Amino acid sequence: MKLNSMILASVLAAAPAMTFAQDWTGPYAGFQIGGSDIDVDDGLEVDGDGPSYGIFAGYNVQAGTLVYGGELDYDVTEYDIANGTAEVDSTTRLKGRVGTELGGGLAYGTAGIVWATSPELGDDNGYLFGVGYDLPVTPNMTFGAEVLQHQFEDYNDLGLDVGVTTVKARVSFSF
C-alpha cells in the first residue's frame, strides 16, 4: 500500500492552490492510474496486489452544494494473486456518486457494482464503496483521488471471499 499512498500524496501535492468556481453539472471523462491490495479469505494466505490503469466517464447534477451522478469505469489490471498462481486482467465498475463542495473541490462518496475478469479464476461480480475528491485545476479539468473497497462473496462459486482496496489518481475533463 506504500505505492498507493505515494500516488495519493503526489496527486494532492500537484494540485495548484488556485481553485475555480465550478459548476459540476454535465458529462465528464478521464483516465486513472492506481494500485490495489487484495485479501483472499480462504485461510491459505493467497493475498496479492498490483497496479491498474484505465478510463472513466460519468455525468453529474448539481443542486446547490449537493452533487450527485453516475460513473462507468474500466481498468486494465495487473493483479497478481498467490505469487502468480492467479491474475486479474480487468475490472469494470458502475458507480453512483453523491458529494458536496469542500475546499474548492468536490468531496464524494460512491457505491456500486464491480465485475472482475481472471483467466484462472473466471469472471465474477461484487459490490464496492468508497470516497473521493476532485479538485479543479482549470474550468474544464480536475485532478482527483479515489479510494475504493471491493467485496466479492464466494468468488465464482470457488469458496473464496475476496476484498480489494484500490487507491487511484485521476484526471478528468468536463465538456
Side-chain angles (χ1 to χ4, degrees):
M1 290 302 287
K2 187 172 186 166
L3 173 64
N4 295 339
S5 298
M6 291 185 336
I7 291 171
L8 180 59
S10 296
V11 168
L12 295 177
M18 182 176 176
T19 60
F20 298 87
Q22 187 76 16
D23 178 8
W24 296 98
T25 297
Y28 63 92
F31 55 91
Q32 58 199 8
I33 185 168
S36 294
D37 184 50
I38 302 165
D39 180 30
V40 181
D41 185 15
D42 66 349
L44 299 176
E45 294 298 320
V46 293
D47 299 344
D49 59 16
S52 63
Y53 50 93
I55 57 174
F56 59 90
Y59 193 90
N60 285 325
V61 175
Q62 183 170 354
T65 59
L66 179 68
V67 178
Y68 58 93
E71 183 177 292
L72 178 66
D73 80 29
Y74 175 81
D75 278 343
V76 173
T77 59
E78 297 177 18
Y79 299 164
D80 181 22
I81 303 170
N83 295 321
T85 303
E87 296 177 354
V88 176
D89 291 341
S90 67
T91 56
T92 304
R93 299 172 194 88
L94 179 61
K95 304 180 287 191
R97 298 178 0 144
V98 176
T100 188
E101 294 181 303
L102 179 68
L106 176 65
Y108 62 89
T110 186
I113 302 168
V114 58
W115 293 270
T117 302
S118 169
E120 297 83 11
L121 302 175
D123 304 343
D124 201 8
N125 61 4
Y127 63 92
L128 67 92
F129 55 91
V131 296
Y133 188 77
D134 290 334
L135 185 65
V137 293
T138 73
N140 295 327
M141 180 179 167
T142 63
F143 285 155
E146 191 172 70
V147 179
L148 300 175
Q149 178 63 41
H150 308 76
Q151 293 298 135
F152 297 90
E153 307 295 331
D154 191 17
Y155 191 97
N156 204 19
D157 297 324
L158 297 173
L160 304 173
D161 293 333
V162 181
V164 181
T165 303
T166 302
V167 177
K168 300 180 191 183
R170 300 162 42 108
V171 176
S172 65
F173 303 91
S174 59
F175 43 97

